[in-house]
Amino acid sequence: MTQLDSRGAARWVGQSVRRREDVRLVTGRGRYVDDVTMPGLLHAHFVRSPVARGALTRVDATAARQQPGVVAVLTAEDVNPSAHSFWVTMMGPDAARAPMRVLADRDVRYVGEPIALVVAESRYLAEDAAELVDLDVDPRPAIVTIEQALSNGERVHPELDTNLSGEIPAVADHELDRLFAEAARVVTATLGQHRYLCVPMEPRGLIAAWDPWQQRMEIVASTQTVHETRAQWSRLLAVPEESIRVVMGDVGGSFGQKMFPGREDHAVVIAAKLLGRAVKWIEDRAENLIAAGHAREESMEVSLAVEADGRITAARAHHLENVGAYPIFGDGMSAPTAASMFPGPYHLRRLAFSAQGTYTNTSGHCAYRGPWMMETTAREQMIDIVAGELGVDPLELRRRNVIQQDELPFTTATGLVYTAVSPAETLEQAAGLIGYEAFRKEQEEARARGRYLGVGLSLYIEPQFGFGVLGTEAATIRVEPSGRVNVLMSTGSHGQSLETTVVQVVADELGVSIDDIRFFQGDSAATPYGPGTGGSRSAAIASAAAMQASQQVREKVLLIGAHLMEAAPDDVEMACGAVSVKGDPAAGVPLAQVAAVAYLNTDALPPGVPPGLETTARWKAPMFMFSNACHAATVEVDRVTGQVTLLRYVVSEDCGNMINPMVVEGQIAGGVAQGIGGVFYEHFVYDGDGNPLTTTFLDYQLPTAAEVPDFEYGHVVTPAPTPGGFKGMGEGGAIASPAALINAVRDALRPLGVKITAQPLTPDAIVQAIERAAG
Amino acid sequence: MAELDVTVTVNGQRRRLRVEPRKTLADALREDLALTGTHLGCEHGVCGACTVLVEGQAVRSCLLFAVQVDGADVTTVEGLTPADGSLSPVQQAFRDCHGLQCGFCTPGFIVSATAFLAGHPRPSETEIREGMAGNLCRCTGYQGIVRAVRQAAAAQAGGAHDAAR
Amino acid sequence: MKSAPFEYVAPATVDEAVRLLAEHGDEAKVLAGGQSLVPVLALRLARPGVLVDVNRVDGLAGVRRDNGRVRVGALTRHAAVERDPDLAAAVPLLARAAPLIGHFQIRNRGTIGGSLAHADPAAEWPAVALALDAELEVRSSGGQRTIAAADFVVSTFMTALEPDDLLVAAWFPVWGAGAGFAVEELARRSGDFAIAGAICGVQVAGPAVTRAAISLLGMGSTPLRARAAERRLTGARPDDLDLEEVGQLAVADCDPPDDVHASGSYRRRVGAALVSRALARAMREAQGEVQDG
């Protein structure tokens, strides 16, 4: 139901407007990369390493090349010389990274590493030919775990003299030492997290078409960002940026996995150029599980200095990350961001944070929804562990440590300044919604009857970054001569509903209906430069640009409309798609008429007003913005089978003003489901030789509708200091939920003395933890 | 093997294909008939993105070969869409309830939910969740999807009630 | 993830089907529901030269009551078993196991014969067949024979079927009055292959248990009969039984596998609990209480 303002004009922002995207998507008329075809399109399929580490002594494609329908089989010697550069804009050319190559050359460094590319008339034929490529691989012992990488003298990358992809060294800090020495108690634990994955429902893929006559590359990609991919491929191929056009249509989810192109994408782009053809590559699910970017395999050792009253004054944390063989960008480490966010919403005075990222013979690290989330996973579990040791309720312990409103602006131990956050308020709202006190009674009664119920909390701050590539967003608004409004954005929405939310913002600012606005994004030739969509920032920052552009257009519309009505500009307003005198909405000049004058009948323009109704606004984002939320979960654990039933899940969210509450809640829900999946069901497993064991959906198990309860939401609104007051929040569901869920299980099994320090919490793992506690 | 001729009724239209036996129904729909609404999410029968109706029954089209449906009736998501540009009750419910975000799993859910509701006019909460458990979604956390199926069931029940009067 | 090439034939009769199987031998694979076979083909874990599609074979599906037994045609879909009220009354275990198989989309195509022939150690039908001492009716170009369920599944994904055999039906006995049945499974998610499962049937006459059948799935490379546990039950008074102990006895000799989903020791622990829970429900039904499905 649309809200109307005092003039009877619709107000769209703040309403759960139904999505513009949906009509084409529910009818099956979305256009994903595999839906795109063109004459002469060829199909690619990769030959991949069957072994995690070894010498690649022979790649014989003779038989494969002879297969009917096979156009080419390309190996490292064909492809790699065409790859001139691999760096991503965000990290710059000098950032540390693995010694990159497109196709494996002389050795292999993870199972699934691409060795050769078959290009054929169909995917079926390409797969047939791929089987005929003869490989000789001489296996060597693989380095699979962080421990092995740190202790093994063998190198994942022989070009480097270390298995460390990066390091934040421990630094002496006397003030920290003093706080620890003076603390009433020091609580230490090492918390582990397993490897789990983005798993978008649409795997990776792209079409690259090189026209040798025009020397132009046209690319349709399943990506989060057309401009960054264009930039990278321009550098890769050493061709001018303007000779490459990258377009994204509908994209079937990503969660960070498609933020940067992978080696396969590079290989396909190079193949298209070498062959002068259009080449399509669509990853299948086994490839997506085995060889697309991986995430989350980390551990953190945390020591907290705790006062007698439970105040946590200082922390030491050492963060280990398994970044695989070829992290998708840079050194693959989330540690720098994890370090800065570790204090979370608490009064922590001092933090010493060190970290190591290790290369291993496994699939490389990619961003996955809140890549730095280990800081919350570890910190929030530590709060509960400290609470347990002190005999204080975890809710109460958080109350004693959380930042209050009257302490803002608050500078954290890592130098971040919070100005507009509400952690204490969300803590109370979440506790209220889940009925915390009543639950404790219910829990006690259940325990008396031999049943194990538990509640877990997770309180966190979510950052949005606005520097470097992420520093600006742009919106071009064009009112066409017909009066229709076209909005061209720098975003790369792939499920974030920007086609609806940005249009809501523009509709309000311009005073037109959302039905009169068309949204465009994701065409490097047409839409303004931007970072695409990722990092929880699109709606907040892109909408600020859209607002600015809308305001500029509106000002001009009012000038022209006033002139046409022979009124003073201050006496007119824009609403319901027309310029009218304030207080007299009936007689107005429709936007179409204003536009006709602006483009076609320019002599009728007011003096000094240039023709046209189009503008681009580029908005500079603040370096940091922060949203925050509190998650609360209740569970029951079956002591015999170790199965966990999720009873309730509550989120109290503060992301400032909400453009579309339905969209906000949808983003939370998706993230929480990924946390449920990660904690209880999903585990990407390698054996001791680096062979992946969970290579299909039969073994890598995603939660279904039957495993996820109804989520409940509360909202707190602390507007951002930006136009519109919107904040990003898309990653938060996946950042906070694991700790809430693990804490709930820990709380349920507390009477049995169970210690939980690792994931996933499968029934077997829970039973083993119970048995260990029983001694 | 040489290609075989297949005659199949798809969305009410008789279509003729000439396909290798190993070509899946999913691939044939997408490539030979340009019905790209049916999606490939796993190609091993788990995710349900490829769900279509064969003789009115919801099945995974990635686990059927096109040659197997010779003479049969197939309905895809495109065939569940009313010809006049409106949305079916299930499609409308998904839109009303924010049952989709990226949309990739959505056609499979639309087909499965349509078939499920045909067989379960008054589903319980548990039945809805188990009925939808054969389709995977990564974006929505299933919240909007379960709400959509509830709404579509209620709309169906309401309609049936009216018809009975 | 596309299958390797194969020849395709779709016979219309059992005679034609077995003739084709004889002709092609090892190169042929029977395509029934395809829910297990086609993923194997797509992953290129198998590449048969000839696929013999039996979905058009006359008379291969269907349920028939025959003299104290029920004959379920091999091509009968799980969904048909799930929805058949007469079958549910005659052989309740079939109706109770069916809804646990995958999801309804799988059940619309998957067949009881295909599931039996595929012999996944965590599948329901082989364990139900074993519990009920079903008989498997097999045809080949050499004629017809019957294989007892206990002899049917040899190992993981391996049965006593020869390459040129076609499983055409499974015969299940109908237990008389005073019978109770239950299926208890532990699966990670709704519809998954079970990590462990128990299939139980008991019959009570007068004060004592007169008959007991317990089979286990997911506890070994084949479904397993828990004969020691059955012997403990037979002849005993229901009230005298410690079902937890019987559950432990049922799994005592099992050596379940370790895999990514669960360890062998976990399977044994859970298997025991599932047996006792299933026996408790089956007993209640056998003694006249209404089964809660």
Side-chain angles (χ1 to χ4, degrees):
Chain A
M1 187 137 68
T2 320
Q3 243 190 24
L4 303 179
D5 67 10
S6 55
R7 299 161 300 174
R11 299 296 302 173
W12 306 98
V13 171
Q15 303 307 307
S16 291
V17 171
R18 290 195 196 97
R19 295 193 335 156
R20 313 286 299 283
E21 295 89 326
D22 287 353
V23 174
R24 71 175 182 277
L25 297 177
V26 298
T27 56
R29 291 200 307 270
R31 197 162 165 274
Y32 302 86
V33 64
D34 195 24
D35 302 337
V36 177
T37 189
M38 51 195 65
L41 185 65
L42 297 175
H43 299 263
H45 179 59
F46 285 91
V47 176
R48 296 178 180 275
S49 175
V51 147
R53 181 165 177 253
L56 179 63
T57 55
R58 193 171 74 98
V59 181
D60 186 349
T62 317
R65 289 191 179 109
Q66 284 159 6
Q67 292 303 297
V70 172
V71 167
V73 180
L74 305 173
T75 63
E77 60 189 16
D78 302 311
V79 164
N80 292 358
S82 295
H84 300 283
S85 168
F86 292 104
W87 54 274
V88 317
T89 309
M90 190 171 84
M91 319 263 336
D94 301 321
R97 56 168 193 272
M100 221 11 138
R101 58 201 185 179
V102 180
L103 295 178
D105 188 10
R106 285 174 303 215
D107 72 332
V108 291
R109 302 188 187 175
Y110 61 102
V111 170
E113 180 170 14
I115 293 173
L117 180 61
V118 178
V119 183
E121 287 165 5
S122 77
R123 174 68 179 232
Y124 285 80
L125 292 174
E127 290 194 21
D128 293 343
E131 292 194 303
L132 298 175
V133 174
D134 238 343
L135 302 176
D136 278 344
V137 186
D138 185 17
R140 312 270 315 279
I143 298 159
V144 182
T145 66
I146 294 171
E147 290 66 39
Q148 286 170 343
L150 291 174
S151 60
N152 201 318
E154 298 278 305
R155 295 283 165 253
V156 172
H157 295 297
E159 300 90 335
L160 307 175
D161 63 0
T162 177
N163 284 330
L164 289 181
S165 72
E167 187 167 26
I168 300 176
V171 172
D173 183 342
H174 301 301
E175 172 62 16
L176 182 93
D177 294 340
R178 186 185 66 77
L179 287 167
F180 266 86
E182 291 175 359
R185 176 194 291 263
V186 172
V187 180
T188 302
T190 301
L191 296 161
Q193 184 164 270
H194 56 302
R195 184 174 294 233
Y196 61 102
L197 315 178
C198 301
V199 195
M201 290 318 298
E202 183 204 26
R204 297 176 297 165
L206 78 166
I207 298 173
W210 175 253
D211 180 335
W213 293 275
Q214 296 202 55
Q215 292 283 297
R216 285 188 44 168
M217 181 80 78
E218 299 263 343
I219 297 176
V220 181
S222 183
T223 178
Q224 294 176 233
T225 162
V226 297
H227 290 98
E228 177 60 21
T229 48
R230 180 184 67 173
Q232 283 196 43
W233 285 325
S234 156
R235 295 192 287 260
L236 180 82
L237 299 173
V239 301
E241 217 173 56
E242 57 271 15
S243 63
I244 301 178
R245 178 185 183 193
V246 182
V247 168
M248 64 187 281
D250 289 305
V251 172
S254 176
F255 314 108
Q257 198 171 64
K258 301 169 184 172
M259 199 156 123
F260 299 107
R263 290 165 55 178
E264 292 92 342
D265 302 301
H266 294 328
V268 172
V269 168
I270 291 171
K273 184 147 191 294
L274 291 174
L275 299 173
R277 298 289 299 268
V279 180
K280 173 191 267 193
W281 173 61
I282 303 296
E283 180 178 57
D284 67 35
R285 182 57 61 186
E287 295 179 280
N288 178 259
L289 292 172
I290 294 167
H294 283 191
R296 300 283 197 253
E297 188 184 325
E298 302 164 40
S299 71
M300 205 180 267
E301 182 185 343
V302 180
S303 283
L304 297 180
V306 186
E307 295 304 321
D309 62 358
R311 280 177 306 114
I312 298 164
T313 54
R316 280 196 187 93
H318 184 65
H319 186 193
L320 293 171
E321 302 182 72
N322 188 336
V323 304
Y326 293 96
I328 304 297
F329 60 98
D331 59 13
M333 289 173 75
S334 314
T337 311
S340 60
M341 296 310 302
F342 184 87
Y346 303 116
H347 291 131
L348 193 75
R349 284 168 35 196
R350 203 92 180 164
L351 170 66
F353 196 101
S354 55
Q356 289 168 309
T358 65
Y359 291 119
T360 57
N361 294 111
T362 63
S363 186
H365 180 269
C366 73
Y368 176 17
R369 207 163 193 172
W372 62 87
M373 52 78 81
M374 192 67 197
E375 51 83 24
T376 291
T377 308
R379 180 193 64 246
E380 292 304 297
Q381 287 189 71
M382 287 304 294
I383 301 280
D384 275 38
I385 290 170
V386 169
E389 290 207 9
L390 293 179
V392 172
D393 189 290
L395 171 60
E396 176 57 29
L397 191 64
R398 285 179 172 83
R399 283 172 171 151
R400 293 183 196 173
N401 282 280
V402 71
I403 296 164
Q404 301 291 338
Q405 281 299 309
D406 59 11
E407 296 174 289
L408 301 176
F410 183 90
T411 302
T412 72
T414 52
L416 296 176
V417 182
Y418 299 147
T419 54
V421 295
S422 60
E425 286 72 17
T426 58
L427 179 65
E428 297 308 324
Q429 188 181 63
L433 282 170
I434 204 137
Y436 197 91
E437 308 298 335
F439 181 83
R440 284 292 186 209
K441 287 200 187 67
E442 189 189 339
Q443 179 185 47
E444 214 179 291
E445 287 160 13
R447 278 184 187 156
R449 294 194 310 273
R451 291 175 59 201
Y452 296 89
L453 272 53
V455 59
L457 297 170
S458 179
L459 189 61
Y460 78 106
I461 307 266
E462 180 177 352
Q464 295 97 57
F465 304 106
F467 45 81
V469 166
L470 306 172
T472 69
E473 292 281 356
T476 297
I477 299 205
R478 264 204 319 257
V479 181
E480 303 289 343
S482 62
R484 307 287 299 179
V485 181
N486 287 329
V487 179
L488 296 91
M489 298 298 297
S490 54
T491 56
S493 186
H494 48 280
Q496 291 85 355
S497 313
L498 294 173
E499 205 171 310
T500 303
T501 55
V502 168
V503 166
Q504 285 176 253
V505 168
V506 172
D508 271 6
E509 283 304 311
L510 265 189
V512 299
S513 161
I514 57 171
D515 295 325
D516 293 332
I517 304 172
R518 184 95 190 271
F519 169 98
F520 296 90
Q521 66 165 18
D523 182 342
S524 68
T527 53
Y529 175 80
T533 289
S536 297
R537 44 195 303 296
S538 266
I541 300 175
S543 62
M547 284 179 79
Q548 280 194 341
S550 305
Q551 281 157 12
Q552 291 168 23
V553 168
R554 181 158 122 250
E555 270 166 38
K556 194 165 179 184
V557 167
L558 290 176
L559 279 177
I560 298 171
H563 181 73
L564 293 175
M565 296 174 77
E566 295 175 0
D570 287 341
D571 291 339
V572 299
E573 62 185 6
M574 178 78 187
C576 305
V579 182
S580 55
V581 171
K582 287 176 185 167
D584 185 15
V589 175
L591 183 58
Q593 194 175 331
V594 172
V597 166
Y599 287 99
L600 306 171
N601 189 11
T602 54
D603 290 339
L605 283 169
V609 173
L613 271 182
E614 56 213 324
T615 189
T616 296
R618 181 167 292 275
W619 192 68
K620 180 169 150 65
M623 189 133 125
F624 291 102
M625 285 205 304
F626 300 102
S627 56
N628 61 274
C630 182
H631 291 220
T634 54
V635 302
E636 176 164 4
V637 183
D638 182 324
R639 188 201 168 142
V640 173
T641 65
Q643 284 174 300
V644 177
T645 304
L646 296 186
L647 300 174
R648 290 179 62 200
Y649 200 97
V650 161
V651 178
S652 168
E653 170 81 40
D654 185 350
C655 57
N657 292 333
M658 292 183 281
I659 302 172
N660 187 321
M662 174 187 85
V663 167
V664 167
E665 291 177 1
Q667 287 293 307
I668 297 171
V672 172
Q674 287 178 312
I676 291 171
V679 170
F680 296 114
Y681 298 99
E682 299 174 46
H683 189 181
F684 193 89
V685 180
Y686 285 98
D687 70 12
D689 296 320
N691 295 312
L693 300 181
T694 48
T695 59
T696 68
F697 277 160
L698 296 165
D699 292 320
Y700 188 89
Q701 298 185 333
L702 299 184
T704 72
E707 283 75 53
V708 174
D710 279 347
F711 301 148
E712 303 162 60
Y713 311 95
H715 295 285
V716 176
V717 179
T718 309
T722 60
F726 317 121
K727 297 181 192 174
M729 48 64 61
E731 293 166 286
I735 295 170
S737 52
L741 295 163
I742 301 168
N743 280 342
V745 172
R746 179 181 283 115
D747 186 63
L749 298 177
R750 196 182 301 283
L752 302 176
V754 172
K755 295 212 175 331
I756 294 180
T757 54
Q759 305 172 56
L761 297 184
T762 61
D764 197 345
I766 288 176
V767 161
Q768 286 182 44
I770 293 173
E771 284 175 346
R772 270 197 306 273
Chain B
M1 183 182 187
E3 294 177 332
L4 297 176
D5 286 317
V6 175
T7 305
V8 54
T9 302
V10 181
N11 299 332
Q13 264 199 310
R14 258 184 112 205
R15 311 295 299 266
R16 293 185 58 178
L17 306 170
R18 199 162 168 74
V19 291
E20 273 190 287
R22 64 170 168 163
K23 189 162 214 180
T24 61
L25 175 59
D27 283 340
L29 290 168
R30 291 177 52 75
E31 293 169 19
D32 298 71
L33 298 179
L35 291 166
T36 55
T38 301
H39 296 152
L40 303 180
C42 77
E43 295 186 281
H44 51 277
V46 178
C47 78
C50 70
T51 309
V52 300
L53 303 179
V54 174
E55 306 294 352
Q57 302 284 305
V59 295
R60 278 113 157 75
S61 64
C62 72
L63 297 186
L64 272 169
F65 299 109
V67 291
Q68 290 185 270
V69 298
D70 185 44
D73 224 292
V74 175
T75 308
T76 67
V77 63
E78 292 93 340
L80 293 179
T81 307
D84 63 359
S86 63
L87 299 178
S88 75
V90 168
Q91 289 168 328
Q92 185 65 49
F94 269 73
R95 185 170 188 231
D96 290 343
C97 301
H98 197 34
L100 63 152
Q101 291 179 25
C102 82
F104 195 78
C105 72
T106 306
F109 268 103
I110 300 289
V111 175
S112 288
T114 304
F116 169 75
L117 288 171
H120 295 80
R122 280 183 169 71
S124 67
E125 270 303 296
T126 308
E127 283 174 337
I128 290 176
R129 291 197 122 90
E130 281 177 3
M132 291 304 100
N135 290 74
L136 297 178
C137 172
R138 204 53 174 158
C139 293
T140 65
Y142 304 105
Q143 305 297 296
I145 291 173
V146 170
R147 282 197 304 266
V149 177
R150 266 187 221 130
Q151 173 176 310
Q156 203 174 264
H161 178 71
D162 287 340
R165 271 196 275 163
Chain C
M1 206 183 284
K2 315 296 186 190
S3 304
F6 51 78
E7 304 259 326
Y8 172 85
V9 285
T13 64
V14 173
D15 285 341
E16 175 69 10
V18 298
R19 191 193 62 72
L20 286 162
L21 291 177
E23 182 186 333
H24 295 289
D26 275 337
E27 273 301 301
K29 201 80 176 81
V30 172
L31 173 65
Q35 306 301 282
S36 300
L37 177 62
V38 180
V40 166
L41 300 180
L43 291 163
R44 300 201 179 205
L45 296 173
R47 50 196 78 222
V50 181
L51 226 55
V52 179
D53 181 352
V54 295
N55 285 281
R56 297 181 192 265
V57 170
D58 228 1
L60 202 52
V63 177
R64 185 177 94 222
R65 191 82 181 242
D66 192 324
N67 219 9
R69 295 196 299 167
V70 174
R71 181 185 188 277
V72 182
L75 197 67
T76 308
R77 313 277 173 193
H78 308 317
V81 173
E82 191 181 356
R83 288 196 287 261
D84 187 334
D86 296 328
L87 186 55
V91 189
L93 273 177
L94 290 174
R96 288 175 199 168
L100 300 172
I101 301 172
H103 306 285
F104 76 95
Q105 300 91 337
I106 305 264
R107 298 196 290 276
N108 281 337
R109 287 296 302 175
T111 66
I112 188 167
S115 169
L116 288 165
H118 185 61
D120 189 307
E124 287 80 3
W125 291 145
V128 170
L130 184 63
L132 295 177
D133 290 312
E135 293 197 323
L136 292 319
E137 183 186 328
V138 176
R139 285 276 308 274
S140 72
S141 54
Q144 173 169 313
R145 71 184 197 289
T146 304
I147 306 178
D151 302 325
F152 186 72
V153 178
V154 168
S155 184
T156 307
F157 303 135
M158 280 177 46
T159 66
L161 294 172
E162 299 291 335
D164 61 343
D165 277 333
L166 180 67
L167 176 64
V168 295
W171 290 82
F172 295 92
V174 177
W175 289 25
F181 302 94
V183 177
E184 283 278 346
E185 281 189 2
L186 187 143
R188 291 302 336 268
R189 302 168 302 173
S190 165
D192 277 346
F193 276 111
I195 286 179
I199 313 272
C200 293
V202 294
Q203 201 158 26
V204 172
V209 174
T210 51
R211 191 171 176 185
I214 304 170
S215 73
L216 305 167
L217 52 102
M219 301 288 289
S221 61
T222 72
L224 303 168
R225 277 294 282 270
R227 297 205 188 268
E230 291 171 5
R231 284 192 296 272
R232 175 75 61 86
L233 290 166
T234 314
R237 303 171 69 89
D239 291 342
D240 291 344
L241 287 166
D242 178 344
L243 292 182
E244 238 180 76
E245 204 195 313
V246 178
Q248 299 288 347
L249 184 58
V251 305
D253 292 331
C254 292
D255 186 20
D258 292 327
D259 65 22
V260 289
H261 301 298
S263 61
S265 64
Y266 177 78
R267 287 185 152 98
R268 216 187 359 260
R269 171 193 177 107
V270 160
L274 293 172
V275 168
S276 9
R277 290 180 193 177
L279 283 176
R281 281 174 44 208
M283 290 288 208
R284 282 198 297 273
E285 185 181 31
Q287 294 171 88
E289 290 172 38
V290 176
Q291 174 67 267
D292 59 348

